[in-house]
Amino acid sequence: MAEDPSRAADSSRAVDPSGAGAPPPPAGFAQEPRTGPGQGDTPWQRVDGPAGHAPAPDPDSPWVTGGVLFAGILMLCQGVVAALEGVAALADGDVYGDVGEYLYRISLTGWGWIHLVLGVCVAVTGAALLKGAGWARVAGILFASLSLFAHFLFLPYAPLWSVIVVALDLFVIWALAAYRDPDPVSATVPR
């Protein structure tokens, strides 16, 4: 068979192994850092100096105070529902079915006590958060984290509800962690 002339070796396309005679890379593939607006010699360096700390949220902003208020309401309601969830598991009815083999299998009586105690703690913390107690933010983050963990492990028993509670717990954790007390000294002094 005859060789295709378009595939014949072209001396103008020969690659020099040393790279000395290599053509420049096409536009957009240069290895040099590009400078642009607000950049210094390197792409990660700003001309006007380091970015610094993020500004503190305005404690009087409706977004900040509204998020904490909503987190408190969610914790109060979710705590009551979790306590009722625990009572339903303790009643030993047919509310929750048998899940079979599960790595983190706990008896329904155990889940009942976990949800009952955790639900009461979450509800009390939510009520304290609504009253403005300084300790309630840290306790709220702690109990929302425990609730998230418990409902993650409770997924086989109530999958849809557990996913909803995990999402609500993530919001509560975010809202309580993002809030900055306007007077941190008074938050540490008992009222």
Side-chain angles (χ1 to χ4, degrees), residues 134 181-191:
D181 194 5
D183 187 15
V185 175
S186 68
T188 58
V189 177
R191 293 180 184 179

Side-chain angles (χ1 to χ4, degrees), residues 4-103:
D4 184 12
S6 65
R7 295 187 181 252
D10 185 8
S11 62
S12 66
R13 285 204 241 163
V15 178
D16 182 10
S18 68
F29 290 99
Q31 299 296 319
E32 308 264 335
R34 296 182 191 182
T35 58
Q39 293 182 343
D41 296 333
T42 56
W44 59 86
Q45 181 182 10
R46 295 179 51 101
V47 173
D48 56 349
H53 298 290
D58 179 16
D60 297 325
S61 165
W63 287 103
V64 174
T65 56
V68 173
L69 177 67
F70 188 56
I73 293 169
L74 279 176
M75 288 182 69
L76 185 61
C77 295
Q78 184 181 338
V80 170
V81 171
L84 293 175
E85 198 175 8
V87 168
L90 286 172
D92 203 27
D94 293 334
V95 176
Y96 302 110
D98 188 27
V99 294
E101 292 300 316
Y102 178 50
L103 182 62

